[in-house]
Each structure stands twice: as C-alpha cells, then as structure tokens.
Amino acid sequence: MLIVMDHSAASEQIEAVIAAVEEMGLRAEPIPGSLRTAIGVLGNQGYVEDATIRNLPGVREVLHVSKPYKLVSRDFHPQSTTVEVAGVRVGDDCAPVMMAGPCSIESEEQMLASARIVKAAGAQILRGGAFKPRTGPHSFQGLGVEGLKLLRQAGDEVGMPVVTEVMRIGQLDDVCRYADLLQIGARNMQNFDLLKEVGKLRHPVLLKRGMSATIEEFLAAAEYIVAEGNDQVILCERGIRTFEKATRNTLDLSVVPLVRQLSHLPIIVDPSHATGKRSLVPVMSKAALVCGAHGLMVEVHHDPARALCDGAQSLNGPQFDTLMDELRCLAGFLSA
Ligand code: PEP
Ligand code: MN
C-alpha cells in the first residue's frame, strides 16, 4: 500500500501517519518527493484495511497494491480451476458448457418441454428458476419448492444436471436437495452471509456478477465462498447497469479475458439477461466464446410468447437449435 500525502502536509501529519501504520504492526517507509511525500507500507501479508489511514489529516489518497481477494487470484493459485457439476466439467481444456432452460419453472409440462428442447440441441446443464428475484412484488415469484421438484424431475427425465437460484440461507437445504449447481443471482452477489454459507457446502456454485459490481468486488465476492473452503465456483458475467436503456444491461465482455488473467476460476456469460433481447442473444453468445468464456447460460422456452418471465429474451426451440449448431462450428474453429 502506498499513502500519498497532500503537498501541503505538515511534518507532524506525516509523523502521525507513520505512527498509525506502525500501530497496525506494519512498517512505514517515507518517500519524500519534490512536490509531496509518499509513505510506502511494508510487511503486510495481503490487503490492508485503510479506513483509519484514509481519514488522517494530510492524506491525499491511499493506493492499494494488494487486492481484497487472494485465494481466487492467479497470483496465489496459478493453475486454472476446473469445476465439476455432476460429471460436467467447466474450465480450461473443456469444451464450452451450455446451461439452458426457461427463466422460471412454470409447470410440469413447460419444464419438460423446455428440457427436451435443450437436451436435444446439445446443452449440458438444465436451468430453471424456482425462487425468482423479481423487481416488483406483483410479478410471478416462482413455484418455490414445488418448482425445484419439477426441475429435478425434468433433469432426470432427459438426463441433465440442473442449476437453480438460491436467494437466501433458509432455502439452501431445499435447493441442495434438488439442484446440482447453486446459482447466486446478481442481486445477491454481495449477500455475504449467503456467500459464506454456500462456501461451507460441497455443491458447486454459479456466482453472477452484481449489476453494479466492479471486477474487484465480483472477485472479492467469490473470495467469500472460496475462503470457507469451497473452491468449486463458476463466475458469470450477465451485464451491468449503465446509462444505456436500449438493452436491458450492458454486456461487459472485456471482463472475460480480464478475469481469466486475474483469477483461476472459470467464467461463463449470460447473454439473455445482459441484452434482454432475443435477437441479440445468438451473436453475443458467439462473441462470448471468442472472448474465452468457458460456457454460456441462455434462456430457452418452448413458447416464449406465453412465458411468465423474460419471454422477450428467451429463444424458442428452433432458434436454440440453430444457435447450438453455430456454436459447435465456432468452438471447433476456436480450438483448432
Ligand atoms: C436468472 O438467471 O434467473 C437471473 C435472475 O439472473 P440475474 O441474477 O443475472 O438477474
Ligand atoms: Mn430470467
């Protein structure tokens, strides 16, 4: 950490900062410059909490060299992690994994019809939401535990592992009973109690990026899970909130190669929630693979016009079939 002092900082202020650093059990190395003094902080094992320093008189800014994450960083763990979801491997040296299915589980018929479509097209993991984080309380909130059972039933029927969102700790027992992969949604990326709890489990976790989360915050959220002992974490870029309203979110694809540099965890992309528009999903799916995504999560409904949630961004069967054909072609080209 480097503490940069104001150019007008008095020598007593510099002394006070040095004393505060030493009180934290660290070494302070003043670096006088022609305009201002900087103070290097040495001897720390990782990220230093700067709250006490930042507000001291004469301090202009505090620059961190260490990040608030360590276990998920490539510096600490150079070898890429492969996550296994009931036999499906996600990571480097694995073919891109497609997770697909409806936004919400609506009925036995709907779940099974969607499962048959995505299985036949070649997807590996079946998705479906039972606990839905809807913006308004009057929208369909999901079928809850009944939905989990229907998802499991459909997954077993077509022979696919299943992923579904868990919104709070109280739902974990049920979700773990029926799902192979636990999804933490964008709205819960910083639900630290939930992150710690899934970190104590052996289930793999799909952690979606919060809609206003920086990459540092995203990786720090993953650190919460890994720090509790569960390193089976797949990251998911699903678009962030920007000033742009023409798309539901802004798909930040640069995150994919950057996260692959910074972290050993696999990362997938959800172009459905990122764009909110069915017509953009195929092209952004392909762009994600070109950027190095280890997989995709795409919403598919057998009858999108009648979907209870997110129909506008859901592909129907023939559209998903075409996309899978195109992705196979692209994946072959990328791995050649
Ligand atoms: C979802 O995948 O069902 C979902 C709600 O996504 P997000 O958390 O990314 O909004
Ligand atoms: Mn959705």
Side-chain angles (χ1 to χ4, degrees):
M1 186 165 87
L2 190 71
I3 304 162
V4 182
M5 301 299 293
D6 277 331
H7 75 276
S8 58
S11 52
E12 303 83 71
Q13 292 176 333
I14 295 171
E15 289 307 320
V17 170
I18 292 171
V21 170
E22 287 171 350
E23 212 161 288
M24 293 163 78
L26 302 169
R27 260 175 39 236
E29 198 74 54
I31 312 162
S34 55
L35 280 178
R36 64 183 85 249
T37 294
I39 301 165
V41 177
L42 305 167
N44 50 306
Q45 290 298 318
Y47 188 80
V48 179
E49 194 40 73
D50 65 17
T52 49
I53 306 282
R54 214 173 353 155
N55 294 320
L56 289 176
V59 173
R60 182 191 169 98
E61 64 178 322
V62 176
L63 304 171
H64 288 273
V65 179
S66 303
K67 301 290 184 198
Y69 54 86
K70 172 179 170 186
L71 302 175
V72 304
S73 79
R74 229 183 242 287
D75 292 342
F76 180 77
H77 186 298
Q79 203 190 344
S80 297
T81 290
T82 298
V83 174
E84 198 172 318
V85 182
V88 177
R89 288 159 56 79
V90 186
D92 285 5
D93 307 321
C94 309
V97 169
M98 174 61 85
M99 306 183 190
C103 179
S104 308
I105 302 149
E106 302 168 6
S107 67
E108 186 176 348
E109 300 69 41
Q110 170 256 9
M111 199 54 236
L112 199 53
S114 303
R116 288 195 169 124
I117 287 172
V118 301
K119 173 70 179 185
Q124 291 92 346
I125 298 177
L126 179 64
R127 70 150 282 153
F131 299 106
K132 293 304 303 174
R134 303 306 301 277
T135 302
H138 307 301
S139 303
F140 177 58
Q141 302 287 306
L143 296 181
V145 176
E146 197 47 43
L148 293 177
K149 292 180 187 165
L150 296 177
L151 176 66
R152 181 78 265 165
Q153 193 183 311
D156 289 346
E157 175 82 24
V158 300
M160 290 174 89
V162 300
V163 54
T164 197
E165 176 163 354
V166 54
M167 283 167 53
R168 53 186 170 81
I169 292 173
Q171 295 164 349
L172 268 174
D173 282 350
D174 284 326
V175 174
C176 284
R177 185 168 313 129
Y178 296 108
D180 302 292
L181 175 60
L182 310 178
Q183 178 172 324
I184 307 277
R187 292 156 192 80
N188 267 315
M189 189 206 80
Q190 286 190 315
N191 181 339
F192 300 118
D193 286 343
L194 181 60
L195 298 176
K196 285 187 209 165
E197 223 43 48
V198 299
K200 293 178 191 148
L201 303 173
R202 297 277 71 85
H203 266 67
V205 179
L206 177 67
L207 178 66
K208 296 187 100 178
R209 182 181 181 187
M211 38 189 123
S212 303
T214 63
I215 295 176
E216 190 165 289
E217 289 163 344
F218 189 18
L219 293 176
E223 181 89 0
Y224 268 91
I225 302 172
V226 177
E228 294 293 334
N230 187 354
D231 74 342
Q232 293 290 286
V233 179
I234 303 168
L235 302 167
C236 179
E237 160 62 28
R238 47 76 74 204
I240 48 171
R241 179 158 291 186
T242 66
F243 54 83
E244 183 54 70
K245 289 189 178 152
T247 48
R248 183 173 178 180
N249 291 288
T250 297
L251 180 52
D252 184 8
L253 276 183
S254 58
V255 156
V256 175
L258 189 53
V259 160
R260 288 188 58 159
Q261 286 169 22
L262 296 173
S263 175
H264 53 89
L265 297 175
I267 178 161
I268 69 163
V269 168
D270 171 352
S272 306
H273 291 91
T275 64
K277 282 184 161 54
R278 178 182 310 130
S279 64
L280 299 180
V281 169
V283 65
M284 298 320 287
S285 298
K286 288 175 249 178
L289 291 199
V290 172
C291 289
H294 295 102
L296 295 160
M297 172 175 262
V298 170
E299 285 188 341
V300 178
H301 195 283
H302 72 291
D303 186 3
R306 292 203 165 72
L308 294 183
C309 183
D310 288 351
Q313 66 193 34
S314 301
L315 301 183
N316 65 21
Q319 289 162 341
F320 187 64
D321 255 345
T322 306
L323 172 61
M324 288 301 286
D325 283 344
E326 292 172 354
L327 291 177
R328 267 186 289 271
C329 198
L330 177 62
F333 172 77
L334 291 173
S335 64

